[in-house]
Amino acid sequence: MPGADILAIESGDPFPPAQVLDLAVSVAIGRELATSEEEMLALIRQWFLRPASRSELSASLARLQGKGWFQPSSGEGLDFCLTEAGVDAATTLSGGMIRMIDRGRGNFKTAFLLQMLDLEKGKCP
């Protein structure tokens, strides 16, 4: 795809596994869009037009923490920050979804849309 910045997954690297909910939670953390469980559940409902359960959210948070994609910032609520691995995985997966939706036509400017995600906002210091 000409003109698209693509974060390559090196041939020896495992593909970053994630469920759709994991990616959504990572993006919300990276963009600092939810600071409580209620806010996160409302955001997920808004994005997907269907709710996620508290147990689904808890399972997603446990998977993400297990993968080292985020770490607690203060210990209160959902105050997390994305690690470098979390930013890389969320960016790679988001870019892949943008290109998948575009169906390889190159109509969407992937690099521009990824900049708009601004995952660096919620990156760990």
Side-chain angles (χ1 to χ4, degrees):
M1 249 180 341
D5 287 344
I6 298 173
L7 289 175
I9 300 171
E10 299 299 323
S11 61
D13 292 345
F15 194 87
Q19 294 186 12
V20 173
L21 184 57
D22 295 352
L23 178 58
V25 169
S26 297
V27 169
I29 290 170
R31 294 180 63 203
E32 298 180 336
L33 298 176
T35 58
S36 70
E37 188 176 85
E38 291 303 319
E39 287 179 1
M40 183 69 78
L41 290 169
L43 186 62
I44 290 164
R45 177 183 285 242
Q46 179 185 11
W47 282 352
F48 294 100
L49 304 178
R50 72 167 298 275
S53 69
R54 289 186 193 291
S55 62
E56 288 170 322
L57 177 58
S58 293
S60 178
L61 290 168
R63 280 191 300 274
L64 293 171
Q65 191 162 19
K67 293 176 193 174
W69 286 18
F70 73 82
Q71 63 188 34
S73 291
S74 70
E76 295 181 19
L78 290 182
D79 192 13
F80 302 116
C81 59
L82 286 183
T83 62
E84 190 69 42
V87 171
D88 288 348
T91 302
T92 299
L93 293 168
S94 295
M97 290 186 70
I98 292 166
R99 289 184 287 281
M100 182 178 66
I101 292 167
D102 185 46
R103 297 176 20 189
R105 294 182 182 153
N107 294 326
F108 296 156
K109 301 298 180 204
T110 306
F112 175 74
L113 292 172
L114 287 174
Q115 277 184 319
M116 290 177 55
L117 274 180
D118 193 19
L119 295 174
E120 297 288 323
K121 184 177 185 179
K123 185 177 174 183
C124 299

